[in-house]
């Protein structure tokens, strides 16, 4: 990710990454339950296409305070393993960039330092995803 900020509006930044990917369900829709079991006849193949969306659990921050310009190039944001099933059909990310105050930046730096010292914290509390078919 490249950052090219004008002036000294902010020298502290945070990025949030939301990922969405398409996957195909292993089975066609043959039954559903809404308080009563229903059989779908003929089976519905259109419900095999699903999407999952979730926030990437990592916290991405950078400061340009000690740089000569308010720019930063090639900040490594989100890397995904090329062997994951998420890349099987369609995959996209939505990146939101936030300008932070120095206090907010320090909060996130301390938060990451504290949270990564607790086993499983990041995985269990920052990962939120939803799937729709």
């Amino acid at each position: 990710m490249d950052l090219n900020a004008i002036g000294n509006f902010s020298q502290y930044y945070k990025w949030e990454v939301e990922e969405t990917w398409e996957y195909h369900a292993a089975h066609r829709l043959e039954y559903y339950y809404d308080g009563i079991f229903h059989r779908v006849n003929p089976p519905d193949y259109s419900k095999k296409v699903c999407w999952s969306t979730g926030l990437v659990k990592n916290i991405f921050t950078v400061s340009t305070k000690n740089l000569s310009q308010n720019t930063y190039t090639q900040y490594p944001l989100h890397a995904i393993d090329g062997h994951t099933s998420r890349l099987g059909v369609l995959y996209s990310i939505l990146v939101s960039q936030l300008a932070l105050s120095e206090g907010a930046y320090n909060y996130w730096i301390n938060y990451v330092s504290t949270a990564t010292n607790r086993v499983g914290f990041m995985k269990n509390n920052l990962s939120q995803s939803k799937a729709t078919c």
Side-chain angles (χ1 to χ4, degrees):
M1 175 65 70
D2 290 346
L3 166 71
N4 188 7
I6 298 171
N8 291 327
F9 172 71
S10 178
Q11 296 176 321
Y12 306 96
Y13 301 92
K14 178 178 181 279
W15 290 278
E16 295 175 351
V17 179
E18 180 181 83
E19 60 182 352
T20 299
W21 65 95
E22 178 182 328
Y23 64 96
H24 296 166
H27 304 285
R28 63 187 180 261
L29 177 64
E30 295 184 60
Y31 300 92
Y32 70 93
Y33 180 78
D34 63 359
I36 301 172
F37 279 104
H38 300 273
R39 182 178 175 153
V40 177
N41 194 8
D44 187 350
Y45 288 87
S46 70
K47 302 295 186 203
K48 287 186 72 166
V49 177
C50 304
W51 294 268
S52 185
T53 299
L55 294 175
V56 172
K57 64 183 177 182
N58 302 66
I59 296 171
F60 306 99
T61 57
V62 70
S63 170
T64 61
K65 181 179 180 180
N66 296 322
L67 302 177
S68 61
Q69 295 182 333
N70 200 3
T71 61
Y72 200 98
T73 57
Q74 298 183 358
Y75 181 82
L77 265 183
H78 178 54
I80 187 163
D81 181 1
H83 296 96
T84 181
S85 61
R86 292 179 182 183
L87 300 177
V89 184
L90 293 173
Y91 182 85
S92 72
I93 62 171
L94 174 64
V95 179
S96 299
Q97 178 178 298
L98 306 164
L100 302 176
S101 67
E102 184 175 7
Y105 174 79
N106 289 331
Y107 167 83
W108 285 111
I109 294 297
N110 291 331
Y111 180 85
V112 169
S113 175
T114 302
T116 55
N117 289 331
R118 290 185 240 152
V119 177
F121 179 85
M122 297 288 277
K123 179 179 178 186
N124 295 329
N125 291 308
L126 292 179
S127 179
Q128 302 174 5
S129 64
K130 59 182 177 180
T132 57
C133 297

